[in-house]
Amino acid sequence: MAGRGDLESLVELARAGSSAAWGRVYETLAPSVFRICRRVLASREDAEDATSEIFLRARVRLASYESSRPFAPWLYRVAANHCWDEIRKRRTRAELDDGELELSALEDEAPTPQEAVLAIESRDSLRRVLAELDSRSRLAIVLRYYADMSYEDIGQALGISSNFVGVLLLRARRAMRKGLRETP
Amino acid sequence: MKHLDELTLLRMVDGELSSERHSSTRTHIVDCAPCQAGYESLKTETELLRATLREDEEPLPEAFRAQGGLFWFLAATLVLAGLGVSQFWSSVVDPMLRGMDRVGIDGQSLFTTVVIRGLLFRGWTNMVSTLTQLALWLSLLVALGTLALFAWRRIRTAALAMSLLAVLAALPGGAEAAVIELDRDTYVLPAGQTIDNDLIVAGEIVRIEGTVNGDLIVAARLVEVSGSITGDILGFAEEIDVTGTVAGNVRTASRSLDIEGIVEGNVTAAGEILRVGPGAQVQGSFTAAGKKTILAGPVERDLLIAAQTHQIDSRVGGSALLAGEELAIGDGAVVEGAIQFYGEREPEVSPAAKLASPVSFEPVEEDEEGGSRLSWLAHFVYFWAAAFVLGAAFVLIGPGAAEAITAVHMPQHAKSLLVGLLAVGAVAALAFGLMITLVGLPLGLVTLFFWILGLYVAQVYAGLYIGREILGRPTDRSQLLVRLAVGLLAIHIGKSVPYVGHLVTLAVALWGFGALTLFFLDGLTRMTPAAPPAVPAPEPV
């Protein structure tokens, strides 16, 4: 598949109007975008639809992409925005309350985690506890550890400060550890 | 000492601390065992998270995966195409190549000679008239492209289009377009009879004693034209004798060609023995590739001949560019222009010959038995350099096109190859169809010329792509040229491998031609303003 510089030149060509170039961008990045969507949205169908919509959105907004910077992170930001929109549309009342309230810092300022963090044998159980997270935390985890986005970019997509992104990530990790301890 | 909180450690792991805080935290971690343990376990946890998220627990949707579904279709097409190509090769190309080989020419050298030398030395005036026909050619390409675009979207349409093309190729025009006589042992157009149309004829022996008011296209063992042709002759035969009158051009590929009549146009011939007899009169130019050429009758314009032996004993109205081993200029020779001879031996010039200027002789090293290494190398470098010069021109004139073709279309190997197969076949069929039907010979020949040019240029883009694969994406013009040179070198090395070389040539031509076609198709979609920005349709299965 296309390497780092190739991807940007493909995007350049796509911006000049080449559908085939955009097709190749799609081929290259659709799998990762789909994986992001699949991890944070409810169903496979939702993820497929979201992937298509993200590429539509991205193509329309291509003019705002700065060609001197790498393209994949830019596309992931579009994906993050879209997924967050989707999640908010679908979130239940309870989840909404839960999400907006806890903007406070971490309740537990205890020193370093002495408990063995997520020391588990199978990744299946990790996937299970990941799925049990609230949508926003899950999205933050996926954007940080799958899409390699910065706290700043994640914060922008989720409409929170970059400081709070760290809190969100840590809280998510603690919830996962707890989930694993309770039902290993 | 106060321990670091977990959030700080996490930000450290995630690389999200400011540089001062980063260094102070690092210093602390080094000194503080509990914090170091916490840091390490967070790092391990992060690795675990990353690995888990990268893992696919379920397959990707069909649409996002590489085009695996095409495999069987591609394989089937390639097998069918292979059968067709081998049939075509063994019945047409191979005998022709063997014939040409016998006279010391291979297809590539012929083409390079015609294109490079032709363009550089004399072709410019002809090119102007060619350009006017270019517009027509482009519209054809557009039509073909649209067809192929649909074909790509729907395999069924492709099948339909292919069968349509096959039918078109099998039925070259109705009775009104040309008179067609096939599979006759002996065909004779008797004296006094006239055909007011193009005549296409194939048989063992073909004799034209009457008049053809149009072109004569003939494939036979023996062809004798003693009557009158108002158009061109396009002939493929073992022996062709022209004693009558041809108002147009004579273009032949035959073991022998003997002209004793009047040709008002140009003669272009490939064969073993090519002769313009004492009774002949060629009013145009004489371009030939053969083993032996004998000019005993006048040629009013230029000569461009590659042959082992040349014999000139008549009037030549233009200049002569000759390549081969020996040149003999006899008593009766009257040459108005300059004579340039690239040969192995000094030309023998009769003192009685009337030459406007002495023969400019440039010795060429003799080809030793078994082939000298040096000459092979020179040959290799020459073709490589020729391809590079042509390629550099294309790439520098259209850097955007080069970028699009090599970055977008060439990497889609299977698609390019398949489209190449379709387009190469379709354009060839189109050219052939044009030659013998609707619009007539000139446009068909122009189409054929561009077809051959396309096949030749295909290697330029293939070379550029391979160069990019080896050296990475070019960032400036000189890097671009370096990649072109390296890629073309790789292709030429591949081509010179015995046996496999043909396959390399074929693959490069199809692949490059396909990418070129896709590029033009992509250009078409670009020109349609109303097209909504669309995610490409999933590849057909």
Side-chain angles (χ1 to χ4, degrees):
Chain A
M1 270 301 158
R4 158 73 175 76
D6 273 348
L7 188 59
E8 282 68 35
S9 68
L10 284 174
V11 173
E12 238 0 79
L13 290 165
R15 189 135 72 163
S18 164
S19 301
W22 185 247
R24 296 255 302 125
V25 172
Y26 179 83
E27 276 170 22
T28 312
L29 290 175
S32 344
V33 170
F34 172 76
R35 285 191 191 105
I36 294 175
C37 297
R38 182 69 192 100
R39 304 245 187 268
V40 295
L41 298 176
S43 72
R44 198 176 160 82
E45 287 69 33
D46 285 350
E48 283 181 37
D49 291 348
T51 306
S52 305
E53 282 164 34
I54 286 162
F55 275 90
L56 278 174
R57 256 194 188 191
R59 194 171 187 189
V60 172
R61 292 192 200 162
L62 216 47
S64 73
Y65 158 67
E66 268 179 58
S67 54
S68 58
R69 307 185 55 187
F71 179 72
W74 181 84
L75 182 69
Y76 291 157
R77 280 200 294 279
V78 177
N81 281 321
H82 185 81
C83 286
W84 183 230
D85 288 350
E86 286 297 304
I87 290 168
R88 267 190 305 189
K89 257 190 262 170
R90 286 156 208 231
R91 268 211 304 191
T92 57
R93 191 78 222 152
E95 251 193 317
L96 271 172
D97 292 344
D98 187 42
E100 311 299 336
L101 273 177
E102 305 175 57
L103 279 164
S104 59
L106 287 167
E107 59 285 352
D108 171 21
E109 288 293 347
T112 55
Q114 258 60 355
E115 72 253 41
V117 287
L118 293 187
I120 44 155
E121 297 299 311
S122 98
R123 288 178 186 165
D124 283 340
S125 42
L126 184 53
R127 265 194 283 276
R128 178 178 51 75
V129 291
L130 194 62
E132 285 166 3
L133 290 176
D134 69 287
S135 321
R136 186 171 59 172
S137 306
R138 196 164 61 237
L139 181 56
I141 291 272
V142 170
L143 294 179
R144 180 69 194 102
Y145 301 112
Y146 180 77
D148 280 326
M149 283 170 64
S150 67
Y151 285 13
E152 178 74 37
D153 286 342
I154 298 173
Q156 264 175 22
L158 301 185
I160 55 180
S161 75
S162 61
N163 278 333
F164 189 63
V165 172
V167 175
L168 199 62
L169 287 172
L170 185 56
R171 196 182 287 149
R173 287 189 183 219
R174 287 183 176 173
M176 286 159 75
R177 290 173 205 153
K178 189 160 164 247
L180 281 173
R181 270 200 308 276
E182 282 164 6
T183 47
Chain B
M1 180 160 53
K2 187 182 186 301
H3 288 304
L4 293 168
D5 64 280
E6 196 182 357
L7 188 58
T8 307
L9 289 176
L10 178 65
R11 293 178 67 110
M12 174 84 183
V13 169
D14 282 347
E16 290 278 351
L17 286 178
S18 65
S19 53
E20 317 85 274
R21 282 211 60 197
H22 183 92
S23 48
S24 66
T25 309
R26 175 144 292 285
T27 321
H28 178 96
I29 288 174
V30 172
D31 294 337
C32 172
C35 286
Q36 188 168 25
Y39 173 76
E40 292 299 334
S41 53
L42 271 174
K43 231 168 114 178
T44 316
E45 188 180 73
T46 304
E47 290 314 311
L48 188 65
L49 264 174
R50 280 186 197 280
T52 309
L53 287 170
R54 295 231 184 299
E55 210 171 58
D56 274 320
E57 69 270 31
E58 50 182 304
L60 281 174
E62 203 63 53
F64 305 148
R65 266 188 293 173
Q67 316 158 2
L70 265 180
F71 179 78
W72 289 111
F73 177 73
L74 188 67
T77 314
L78 285 177
V79 167
L80 280 176
L83 286 175
V85 166
S86 81
Q87 188 69 26
F88 180 69
W89 190 271
S90 62
S91 63
V92 179
V93 181
D94 197 42
M96 212 167 91
L97 284 181
R98 259 184 291 152
M100 290 174 107
D101 217 30
R102 253 204 325 262
V103 299
I105 307 155
D106 61 60
Q108 196 188 24
S109 66
L110 183 68
F111 182 73
T112 305
T113 306
V114 170
V115 168
I116 301 292
R117 292 218 171 134
L119 284 181
L120 292 184
F121 282 81
R122 51 201 303 281
W124 294 112
T125 47
N126 297 343
M127 281 297 284
V128 177
S129 68
T130 308
L131 279 176
T132 57
Q133 303 197 2
L134 184 66
L136 279 168
W137 154 256
L138 278 178
S139 59
L140 275 172
L141 199 72
V142 167
L144 192 78
T146 321
L147 184 74
L149 188 68
F150 280 111
W152 186 251
R153 292 253 163 91
R154 289 253 177 281
I155 294 301
R156 258 180 300 175
T157 320
L160 196 70
M162 279 196 282
S163 22
L164 206 69
L165 278 168
V167 169
L168 275 178
L171 299 171
E176 287 175 8
V179 176
I180 301 173
E181 301 281 351
L182 302 174
D183 295 327
R184 300 271 297 252
D185 267 359
T186 306
Y187 172 84
V188 180
L189 179 67
Q193 275 197 24
T194 301
I195 291 180
D196 285 314
N197 208 332
D198 293 343
L199 173 63
I200 298 169
V201 53
E204 175 78 11
I205 296 171
V206 174
R207 283 203 181 87
I208 308 294
E209 292 161 6
T211 302
V212 176
N213 279 322
D215 297 334
L216 170 67
I217 297 168
V218 58
R221 194 179 60 74
L222 172 65
V223 179
E224 290 176 356
V225 179
S226 52
S228 162
I229 313 286
T230 62
D232 293 348
I233 293 182
L234 182 64
F236 306 92
E238 193 174 319
E239 186 179 337
I240 300 179
D241 297 329
V242 180
T243 51
T245 309
V246 182
N249 305 307
V250 172
R251 295 189 179 91
T252 62
S254 58
R255 200 179 61 76
S256 79
L257 169 69
D258 195 355
I259 299 175
E260 284 285 357
I262 295 167
V263 178
E264 290 176 23
N266 304 319
V267 175
T268 309
E272 204 171 309
I273 300 171
L274 309 167
R275 179 169 171 273
V276 177
Q281 202 183 332
V282 176
Q283 289 167 11
S285 65
F286 189 81
T287 306
K291 189 170 183 179
K292 183 169 190 174
T293 54
I294 302 163
L295 299 186
V299 174
E300 293 304 329
R301 293 178 62 189
D302 298 348
L303 302 181
L304 175 65
I305 308 175
Q308 267 176 28
T309 57
H310 305 260
Q311 199 177 317
I312 300 178
D313 209 0
S314 66
R315 191 189 125 72
V316 175
S319 60
L321 178 60
L322 311 167
E325 292 174 15
E326 298 168 27
L327 167 64
I329 299 182
D331 296 346
V334 179
V335 182
E336 306 278 347
I339 305 176
Q340 189 153 25
F341 176 55
Y342 298 89
E344 293 178 3
R345 261 155 268 171
E346 281 281 347
E348 290 166 30
V349 184
S350 153
K354 296 188 181 68
L355 307 184
S357 61
V359 177
S360 131
F361 171 60
E362 211 160 296
V364 175
E365 274 201 37
E366 232 168 289
D367 231 354
E368 299 289 320
E369 263 314 300
S372 87
R373 294 265 155 229
L374 197 67
S375 114
W376 181 86
L377 194 67
H379 189 84
F380 182 88
V381 169
Y382 172 62
F383 288 117
W384 175 43
F388 177 73
V389 169
L390 187 77
F394 269 86
V395 166
L396 293 180
I397 290 169
E403 174 72 20
I405 292 167
T406 50
V408 180
H409 304 291
M410 302 235 40
Q412 297 171 299
H413 308 138
K415 190 171 172 179
S416 292
L417 209 61
L418 193 59
V419 170
L421 208 62
L422 274 171
V424 166
V427 178
L430 196 75
F432 185 68
L434 277 174
M435 269 192 231
I436 51 185
T437 54
L438 312 166
V439 199
L441 194 59
L443 190 61
L445 283 173
V446 170
T447 310
L448 195 66
F449 172 78
F450 279 98
W451 182 73
I452 296 172
L453 186 68
L455 286 177
Y456 190 77
V457 167
Q459 70 171 339
V460 168
Y461 293 107
L464 187 58
Y465 171 73
I466 291 169
R468 281 176 66 129
E469 288 293 295
I470 297 172
L471 297 173
R473 190 169 162 253
T475 52
D476 60 30
R477 199 177 279 180
S478 58
Q479 284 195 8
L480 190 71
L481 293 179
V482 168
R483 276 145 187 77
L484 180 67
V486 168
L488 284 173
L489 184 65
I491 288 178
H492 278 74
I493 289 172
K495 275 184 177 180
S496 57
V497 175
Y499 302 108
V500 184
H502 288 304
L503 209 65
V504 172
T505 311
L506 186 71
V508 163
L510 290 182
W511 179 36
F513 204 92
L516 276 170
T517 310
L518 284 169
F519 169 71
F520 281 115
L521 295 185
D522 195 24
L524 287 185
T525 58
R526 207 175 312 171
M527 280 180 265
T528 319
V535 170
E539 302 302 349
V541 182

